[in-house]
Amino acid sequence: MFMGEYHHNVDAKGRIIVPAKFRENLGETFILTRGLDRCLFGYPLNEWEIIEDKLKQLPLTKKDARAFTRFFFSGATECEIDKQGRINIASPLFQYAQLEKECVILGVSNRIEIWDKQEWENYFSESEDSFAEIAENMIGFDI
């Protein structure tokens, strides 16, 4: 399981350090793809297979299913963590997430998320007041 918030900078070659606490669960190789809300999602291979199986079950005849599957899979890339604990983020993903120098890496249950620091701060401040309402509206959600 992934949890926590970590701040790291992207270097001149487009690499970012993956927090040590995340590396073991991600494995040496994991999948990085476009996420929702202009961030990147990173999945260990076993979690990626589960998602892949779910997406394969979507009906090909549904326009939204085709669009989401294209969005999700076309951005997917296999990442390897180097000996210094860094990954190289592919240019299309880097551009999609509008990453600048400062980034935030979040642990979110079965995945990690990589955000541009300013985008994360904007998202968090805009959403913070509605977290209680969101939790209240989720069926069967109890903290």
Side-chain angles (χ1 to χ4, degrees):
M1 176 170 60
F2 300 100
M3 59 185 175
E5 177 177 322
Y6 300 87
H7 295 251
H8 289 284
N9 290 334
V10 175
D11 70 15
K13 295 182 180 179
R15 297 174 301 195
I16 190 167
I17 293 174
V18 175
K21 291 190 176 201
F22 294 166
R23 289 182 215 149
E24 185 177 326
N25 288 337
L26 283 171
E28 289 181 22
T29 302
F30 67 97
I31 304 298
L32 192 65
T33 192
R34 291 181 195 101
L36 305 175
D37 304 311
R38 282 266 183 231
C39 72
L40 303 178
F41 287 175
Y43 292 97
L45 294 178
N46 63 324
E47 288 291 336
W48 180 254
E49 289 172 5
I50 293 168
I51 290 168
E52 185 178 17
D53 286 342
K54 288 180 182 179
L55 291 176
K56 282 180 185 177
Q57 294 175 26
L58 294 175
L60 188 60
T61 56
K62 297 284 188 181
K63 185 177 182 178
D64 288 346
R66 291 190 311 272
F68 183 76
T69 302
R70 283 186 195 117
F71 168 82
F72 207 63
F73 281 99
S74 66
T77 186
E78 204 171 89
C79 286
E80 290 186 25
I81 300 175
D82 70 14
K83 291 178 183 174
Q84 286 78 36
R86 302 171 300 193
I87 58 167
N88 194 352
I89 299 174
S91 180
L93 294 178
F94 203 86
Q95 291 171 2
Y96 167 77
Q98 301 172 341
L99 299 178
E100 298 290 334
K101 186 170 179 70
E102 296 179 87
C103 294
V104 178
I105 304 174
L106 306 174
V108 186
S109 185
N110 67 335
R111 70 178 182 272
I112 66 168
E113 294 183 354
I114 301 175
W115 289 76
D116 173 75
K117 183 182 179 203
Q118 190 60 54
E119 285 294 318
W120 170 247
E121 288 175 356
N122 292 344
Y123 173 82
F124 191 85
S125 67
E126 290 171 8
S127 302
E128 190 173 18
D129 292 338
S130 61
F131 287 150
E133 184 180 329
I134 291 167
E136 195 174 296
N137 291 333
M138 292 174 59
I139 298 172
F141 188 77
D142 199 13
I143 296 181

